[in-house]
């Protein structure tokens, strides 16, 4: 058995070029598979793109500015190209380190895969299914690397007659070719599936959405953020998000249009540029979700910039009897808003393009969404809106109404305790209790607090902004050491006080007093 003797001095080892090639093919297979799955579950789930986007996010501003100055609109290509070079070098290195055993390369493939998973999970614009892309990528990367490695090792160990002639060498070459071809095809297919729509590029190209009419500046003292309430304006990345989209609809501004039709005098079709070119108005609005439990988190505030929805409906000419404004999003979700609410001048409903100084984030409805102060989101806040039909409540039933929620969704007067946090322990001395109240569009007139079922006492309200926004409150209490329950209740400017009766969010919003229990040292 001469071959046994030949391999005696050491275990078989793969030649350097072949080892490097295996590393590269493993990475290509991983990327191709990930890109293909991303084509189905959402382009931003592609591990390569997600890592790239994360890199962009993490890049310090001066470097970003330099890149934009130097490479202009090619900055993204430069980044992706640079990533490719780094990745290939690492892949070659991992391959070469695996000349005898597959462990180093396998470990590299796992680490790379986990980086992809982390990057995809960190993307705000990836739907729940998105994580499949990097997971498939990881599995394929490891499997392909190990498969090719085993074949190459077999070929290296076999004493075969000619350099390319032996069956194990042929098997390796065939497998390598197949991997290279499949990776290319998978990546290309993923790209085709995702379409060539570059939504982030489109969003960046929008530029400044400077309003002709600015919202009054939020005064100092509009929140008690230092003492536990949210900040008055919610940063876009912290703004609550509720939608049915498994993957966020990706619609470029230049591809967007809005049809206004139904019971109107003349149909309108508006393009993004049509809205952009108008005098934009800015409004500070608190949005609220009907599915909030008492004390729940689905309430946030932003400066929205857009076109008054009322103006658009007036141009179309709403026919008498059209009591429902039926809006549809590009992904088919629908909402029905009372027409009289939208047409009332003081409502301030918007077709919003911007949010807190930037174009709408994709997950908050880019390019255009509706925002109707005073109405829960499910009856009014259609993101990615593409169709407005004037109709009647009798004629059409929107998405959540079909699923048992109320036809009408005015926001209910609510309040919650933000600090102390329930079940926490607070230190000695006076106890500061803060919280949030809202009753858009009526506005908050009063918030009362009581401890352990005692008498109600008035809380101090934060500086007022407008009646379509939330209002923070604060009290200082002298409490004995031990456990305490704090409750709050708000009264709106119509004189209506939030009722004690606990009702579920279904069908049209929860009621009841928020109460928290905490311990004082
Ligand atoms: N297209 C679409 N728009 C939608 C929804 C949705 O599921 N799809 N959800 C609505 C609901 S229930 C709420 S509360 C608000 C939330 O908006 P946000 O995610 O920007 O906070 O969007 C509304 N607009
Ligand atoms: Mo909602």
């Amino acid at each position: 058995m001469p071959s046994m003797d030949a391999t005696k001095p050491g275990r078989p080892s793969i030649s350097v070029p072949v080892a490097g090639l295996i590393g590269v093919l493993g990475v290509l297979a991983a990327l191709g598979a990930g890109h293909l799955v991303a084509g189905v579950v959402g382009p931003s789930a592609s591990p390569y793109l997600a890592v790239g986007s994360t890199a962009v996010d993490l890049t310090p501003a001066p470097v970003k500015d330099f890149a934009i100055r130097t490479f202009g609109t090619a900055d993204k290509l430069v980044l992706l190209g640079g990533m490719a070079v780094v990745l290939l070098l690492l892949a070659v290195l991992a391959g070469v380190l695996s000349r005898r055993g597959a462990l180093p390369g396998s470990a590299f493939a796992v680490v790379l895969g986990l980086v992809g998973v982390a990057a995809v999970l960190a993307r705000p614009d990836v739907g729940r299914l998105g994580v499949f892309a990097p997971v498939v990528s990881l599995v394929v990367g490891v499997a392909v690397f190990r498969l090719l490695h085993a074949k190459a090792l077999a070929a290296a160990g076999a004493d075969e007659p000619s350099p390319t002639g032996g069956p194990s060498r042929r098997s390796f070459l065939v497998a390598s070719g197949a991997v290279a071809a499949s990776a290319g095809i998978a990546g290309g297919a993923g790209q085709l599936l995702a379409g060539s729509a570059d939504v982030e590029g489109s969003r960046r190209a929008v530029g400044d959405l400077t309003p002709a009419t600015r919202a009054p500046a939020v005064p100092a003292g509009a929140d008690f953020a230092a003492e536990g309430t949210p900040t008055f304006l919610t940063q876009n990345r912290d703004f609550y998000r509720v939608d049915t989209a498994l993957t966020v609809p990706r619609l470029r501004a230049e591809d967007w249009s809005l049809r206004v039709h139904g019971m109107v005098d003349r149909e309108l079709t508006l393009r993004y540029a049509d809205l952009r070119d108008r005098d934009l108005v800015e409004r500070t609005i608190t949005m609220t979700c009907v599915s909030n439990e008492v004390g729940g988190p689905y309430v946030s505030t932003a400066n929205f910039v857009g076109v008054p929805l009322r103006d658009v409906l007036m141009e179309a000419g709403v026919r008498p009897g059209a009591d429902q404004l039926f809006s549809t999003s590009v992904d088919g979700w629908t909402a029905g808003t009372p027409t009289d609410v939208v047409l009332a001048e003081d409502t301030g409903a918007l077709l919003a393009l911007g949010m807190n100084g930037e174009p709408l984030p994709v997950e908050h409805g880019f390019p255009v969404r509706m925002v109707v102060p005073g109405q829960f989101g499910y009856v009014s806040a259609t993101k990615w809106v593409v169709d407005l039909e004037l109709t009647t409540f009798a004629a059409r039933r929107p998405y959540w109404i079909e699923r048992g929620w109320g036809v009408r969704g005015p926001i209910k007067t609510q309040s919650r305790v933000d600090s102390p946090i329930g079940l926490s322990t607070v230190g000695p001395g006076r106890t500061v209790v803060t919280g949030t109240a809202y009753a858009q569009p009526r506005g908050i007139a009063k918030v009362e607090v009581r401890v352990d079922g005692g008498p109600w006492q008035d809380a101090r309200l934060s500086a007022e902004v407008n009646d379509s926004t939330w209002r923070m409150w604060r009290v200082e209490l002298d409490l004995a050491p031990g456990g305490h329950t704090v409750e709050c209740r708000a009264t709106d400017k119509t004189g209506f006080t939030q009722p004690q009766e606990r009702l579920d969010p279904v069908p049209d919003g929860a009621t009841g007093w928020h109460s928290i229990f905490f311990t004082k040292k």
Side-chain angles (χ1 to χ4, degrees), residues 240 286-301 374 376 410-416 418 435-447 461 466-473 489-493 496 498 509-512:
Y240 84 89
T286 296
M287 285 183 51
T288 310
C289 184
V290 68
S291 53
N292 240 1
E293 305 278 348
V294 172
Y298 300 131
V299 50
S300 303
T301 302
F376 282 129
I411 290 169
K412 295 184 177 177
T413 302
Q414 263 295 347
S415 61
R416 70 169 191 224
D418 290 321
T436 304
Y438 55 83
Q440 314 93 295
R442 300 170 296 282
I444 292 292
K446 181 167 73 170
V447 174
L461 296 179
N466 71 54
D467 290 339
S468 290
T469 58
W470 56 12
R471 201 143 179 210
M472 315 310 184
W473 55 266
R489 67 174 186 195
T491 300
D492 65 33
K493 288 184 178 173
F496 177 85
Q498 167 189 350
T511 67

Side-chain angles (χ1 to χ4, degrees), residues 1-12 157-159:
M1 297 258 273
S3 65
M4 284 296 268
D5 285 345
T7 56
K8 194 78 193 241
R11 284 178 297 143
D159 188 21

